[in-house]
Amino acid sequence: MGTVITWWGHATCTVEDSGVRVLTDPLFVRRLAHLRRRLGPVPPPEAAVADAVLVSHLHSDHLHTRSLTRLSPGTRLIVPRGARRSVPLLRRLDSRRNPTGLLITEVDAGDEVVIGALRVRAVPARHDGRRLPVGPQRSPALGYVITGESRTYFAGDTGLFDGMAEAVGQVDVALLPVGGWGPHLGPEHLDAERAARALVQLEPSAAVPVHFGTYWPIGLDGVRPHEFYSPGDEFVREAARLAPKVAVHLLRHGESVRPEAAR
């Protein structure tokens, strides 16, 4: 059957492999604090249908508790170590306290979780994973490698880091962030060029750019608008220059691709 990737916007993707649906960093709202969804509709109800959900880190545009309430009771939720301690609302969703809640599993880099026919391995990321911009570093930022018929790497938020290829391992498909939600990206993020350099290290067969062209701060529509609209196209160009053997699939919101079938 192969693997099917659907991009719902921002870092929210569905990975369907071996009859199992895995959802990443669900964000199902029109507005989040100072951010407004500028492109694409809010994901439809079927986007919340999943056997398991992967959360890469605790920032509220990746671990969004109101979006998690759209999941069916008993859904497996995989989060970084310490997430329940750092996010009190997450504890209310835990099936150990709420019989209609979620099955929450905390992981650290190197841990593996079996979900049906899939194995999910947590891998390190270079990113500040704290819930708030102040306070102690209590939870790591993670990426995940989903292994079934294919090996799919969901990077979450990360910058380039030494040993990235060794930590992630061999993968077939890479879901890489190529932008952000504001006009500036620091070294703990991938922009289009850095994401293309990650392809050189990882050597996947295919890549899908994510984390761009969805949310933008309210009132900043006219501030560096190319940082909102262009990262996907820039990644296609940079990948063609630096990693021409990688098939890059630039999706619209809600669009799906079967990467191995498209090569």
Side-chain angles (χ1 to χ4, degrees):
M1 294 178 60
T3 301
V4 178
I5 309 294
T6 303
W7 182 49
W8 302 109
H10 204 54
T12 307
C13 302
T14 296
V15 179
E16 300 178 72
D17 189 333
S18 305
V20 181
R21 287 172 61 94
V22 176
L23 178 66
T24 66
D25 287 355
L27 187 56
F28 298 147
V29 291
R30 174 65 59 188
R31 178 174 174 178
L32 171 63
H34 65 297
L35 303 180
R36 174 173 57 90
R37 191 174 181 116
R38 289 184 61 193
L39 279 183
V42 173
E46 55 264 33
V49 177
D51 299 290
V53 176
L54 309 180
V55 170
S56 62
H57 61 289
L58 305 191
H59 292 172
S60 56
D61 59 323
H62 293 259
L63 196 168
H64 186 251
T65 52
R66 183 151 59 94
S67 294
L68 295 178
T69 64
R70 289 180 51 178
L71 302 173
S72 297
T75 300
R76 175 70 65 87
L77 178 65
I78 300 172
V79 296
R81 171 187 44 77
R84 277 181 295 226
R85 176 186 58 196
S86 300
V87 185
L89 285 174
L90 193 61
R91 296 197 290 272
R92 299 182 190 177
L93 299 176
D94 193 335
S95 62
R96 287 177 288 185
R97 294 190 176 195
N98 177 0
T100 63
L102 307 176
L103 301 175
I104 300 178
T105 301
E106 295 191 353
V107 296
D108 211 337
D111 292 342
E112 285 196 357
V113 179
V114 175
I115 306 165
L118 302 183
R119 287 185 298 108
V120 174
R121 176 170 54 91
V123 298
R126 182 191 177 194
H127 195 69
D128 185 342
R130 289 176 291 183
R131 182 64 169 177
L132 298 173
V134 295
Q137 176 76 40
R138 290 187 171 183
S139 291
L142 300 172
Y144 297 94
V145 177
I146 305 161
T147 300
E149 294 185 36
S150 301
R151 292 158 296 194
T152 301
Y153 170 46
F154 169 63
D157 263 356
T158 188
L160 291 170
F161 59 91
D162 292 340
M164 186 179 198
E166 292 78 6
V168 173
Q170 188 174 6
V171 293
D172 302 301
V173 185
L175 311 180
L176 296 180
V178 300
W181 51 252
H184 302 289
L185 284 175
E188 292 190 343
H189 294 82
L190 296 178
D191 59 13
E193 191 269 341
R194 291 195 290 264
R197 285 198 277 140
L199 293 182
V200 176
Q201 296 186 41
L202 298 170
E203 298 182 323
S205 298
V208 176
V210 302
H211 205 281
F212 74 99
T214 309
Y215 291 91
W216 201 249
I218 294 169
L220 293 186
D221 290 12
V223 178
R224 297 176 64 83
H226 65 283
E227 298 288 357
F228 178 84
Y229 290 105
S230 66
D233 292 324
E234 289 181 5
F235 176 67
V236 171
R237 290 192 294 269
E238 290 295 326
R241 180 175 68 89
L242 297 176
K245 293 183 179 180
V246 179
V248 176
H249 305 287
L250 181 61
L251 303 181
R252 295 184 293 270
H253 296 98
E255 192 172 20
S256 302
V257 66
R258 193 184 304 269
E260 65 274 17
R263 289 201 293 270

